[in-house]
Structure formats: C-alpha cells, structure tokens
Amino acid sequence: MYKNKTFLAIIAARGGSKRLPKKNILDVAGKPLIAWSIEAALQSNCLDEVMVTTDDDGIIKIAKEYDVQVPFKRPEALANDTALRPDVIKHTLNFYKNVLKKEFDYIVYLQPTSPLRTAEDIDNAIEYLFEKEADAIVSVCEVEHPIHWSGTLPQNKEMSQFLDKVAVLSRSQDLPKNYRLNGAIYICNTNKFLEQGCLFLKENIFAYEMPQNRSIDIDMQLDLDIASVLLEKRFSLKS
C-alpha cells in the first residue's frame, strides 16, 4: 500500500509473436526478456502485488522461477492476435475479485517488452500520479527524429509532397518537441478503467516522461540487440 492506495502490477505476456517468435522469453543480456520487467516490479516500493497473465507454459515456468504470482493460465481466446489489452486486464481483475477476493485501487500495466524500465521509473510514475492528482499516468519519451520529417509515399515513391513547407525550411532544433508512447508504464484508477474500458482515459491523464535510453520497446531483432547492449552497459558501470 502506498499513500493508503493499493496497486496491482499486471505483466501480460502471451506465448505467440509473429515478428520475434517466443519473444517474451528470448535472452536479453543474460535473462529472459520478461524477467527484466518482473524484477523491476518486484523491486518497486509501491506495488502491493505483481502478477503475470499468460497462456504459455514456458512463461509460467520462468515467472515462477522469479517468484512472481501466476494465479491462472490465460484462456486461448485472450491470447491470440486479435485479443485486446482491455479484455486481458478485465479478465485479470475479475479473477482477483471473484476468485481471490482481492481488489485494488490502481492498475499498473507493465509490458514485458520494456526491459530498460526500472523500479525507480515505476515508483516515480506512481508518485507523479499523486502529485498531479491524476486518474491515469502513461509513460512517454521524446521522439528520436522530428515527426515533421516523416510522410507518406505514393506507389511510385515520388517525393514532391513528402514534406510540408515548415519541415523543408526548418532546422531540426527549431521544430517543436514531440513525444511518443514508449509502452513502459500505464497506471490507471481501477474504477475509471472499468467505466471507460481503456487505460488511456478521456480526462485527468498525464504523461510521465522517460529518457530514450530506457524507452526501447522490443518489437524486432534490432530492438532486442539495442536493449541488450544498453543493459550490459548499465550493469558494467555498476560493477
């Protein structure tokens, strides 16, 4: 319990992945990918319970090795390519309420594909929730390149309309800062989530900014390679 409020961390990790097969258990700097999120959550000072929801026996085995709760095996209908995150969270909350007789004031949703997120990030984001008197917090980072230098291309790749005049005539340092979701941390008031069916609430939601070097979201092999290098560098500096 933190400031008289309870927090449930949900780490959702299904077994299937098209771009990186078995992504959530691939080795990243000497540990399974999901282990980095489990350890960060367990090291947090604010979380009341940390759990993994998965359909995969291999992930269940790893989660238990890292002493985290796996109170059920996720139904196949909630583990395919069309399964929606809100439905996975609702299923978890319903299980805790109806089977385990537990309810929590806040959900802390941690994607296993964010191995560089730290326990300090989680705790600071929760502290920020109280500071802003918010109902929801979502982690972001500054975009790596100006979005004004992005565009769509026709089939023939003709570029005369690729950039607008502002982008053509501006230096990168003169363009406004833009931010993107980094996928690392979602915090939401449980009742508000159940009312709206979404972690990204319509109001009273604020951004928790994280640096780019802790905002890698593993989607392809390049992301995995970069994350491994950054994690190895982090721990070499500590040793």
Side-chain angles (χ1 to χ4, degrees):
M1 182 174 289
Y2 184 67
K3 295 191 176 181
N4 295 316
K5 300 295 181 183
T6 53
F7 293 82
L8 172 66
I10 299 174
I11 302 173
R14 65 190 185 93
S17 177
K18 288 185 176 179
R19 292 190 185 181
L20 280 176
K22 295 289 183 180
K23 172 172 64 177
N24 289 312
I25 59 174
L26 291 178
D27 182 271
V28 183
K31 298 177 185 177
L33 174 57
I34 191 174
W36 293 100
S37 292
I38 291 172
E39 287 188 333
L42 291 176
Q43 290 165 10
S44 164
N45 294 316
C46 300
L47 300 175
D48 294 88
E49 186 156 337
V50 180
M51 66 83 64
V52 168
T53 168
T54 184
D55 63 310
D56 185 84
D57 289 334
I59 294 175
I60 291 173
K61 182 175 182 292
I62 290 169
K64 290 184 176 180
E65 288 173 357
Y66 280 84
D67 295 322
V68 75
Q69 298 292 321
V70 189
F72 56 80
K73 187 172 183 178
R74 197 193 310 176
E76 290 184 13
L78 292 175
N80 56 35
D81 290 338
T82 61
L84 300 176
R85 178 168 56 195
D87 293 334
V88 173
I89 296 172
K90 288 176 187 175
H91 175 262
T92 299
L93 294 176
N94 285 336
F95 186 92
Y96 267 84
K97 180 179 180 178
N98 298 323
V99 179
L100 300 182
K101 309 302 180 184
K102 292 183 178 181
E103 295 185 76
F104 298 85
D105 297 307
Y106 289 91
I107 304 155
V108 181
Y109 187 85
L110 305 172
Q111 295 185 165
T113 49
S114 298
L116 289 142
R117 170 228 306 110
T118 65
E120 289 76 18
D121 284 318
I122 297 169
D123 290 347
N124 289 342
I126 291 173
E127 184 62 43
Y128 190 58
L129 174 87
F130 289 101
E131 180 184 324
K132 301 296 286 186
E133 298 182 350
D135 289 321
I137 295 291
V138 177
S139 60
V140 303
C141 68
E142 189 175 341
V143 296
E144 289 77 4
H145 305 284
I147 62 169
H148 305 79
W149 291 357
S150 302
T152 58
L153 287 169
Q155 191 170 2
N156 68 358
K157 303 296 190 289
E158 200 275 329
M159 289 190 72
S160 63
Q161 303 300 313
F162 185 73
L163 299 177
D164 62 25
K165 186 176 181 180
V166 172
V168 171
L169 299 178
S170 299
R171 302 176 302 166
S172 61
Q173 60 264 41
D174 296 330
L175 293 169
K177 285 186 179 182
N178 285 274
Y179 298 84
R180 65 172 176 84
L181 304 179
N182 71 358
I185 303 170
Y186 295 83
I187 307 171
C188 191
N189 176 284
T190 303
N191 290 333
K192 294 289 184 180
F193 166 78
L194 293 172
E195 287 172 12
Q196 299 187 25
C198 183
L199 292 172
F200 208 95
L201 301 181
K202 297 175 183 176
E203 58 187 8
N204 203 23
I205 177 171
F206 292 87
Y208 170 71
E209 186 177 352
M210 291 174 59
Q212 292 172 348
N213 65 357
R214 296 205 303 276
S215 295
I216 304 295
D217 183 9
I218 308 298
D219 188 48
M220 58 185 72
Q221 185 63 45
L222 178 60
D223 303 323
L224 200 71
D225 294 341
I226 293 171
S228 294
V229 170
L230 291 174
L231 285 165
E232 287 168 359
K233 181 180 179 181
R234 177 191 293 176
F235 286 94
S236 68
L237 291 174
K238 289 183 177 180
S239 61

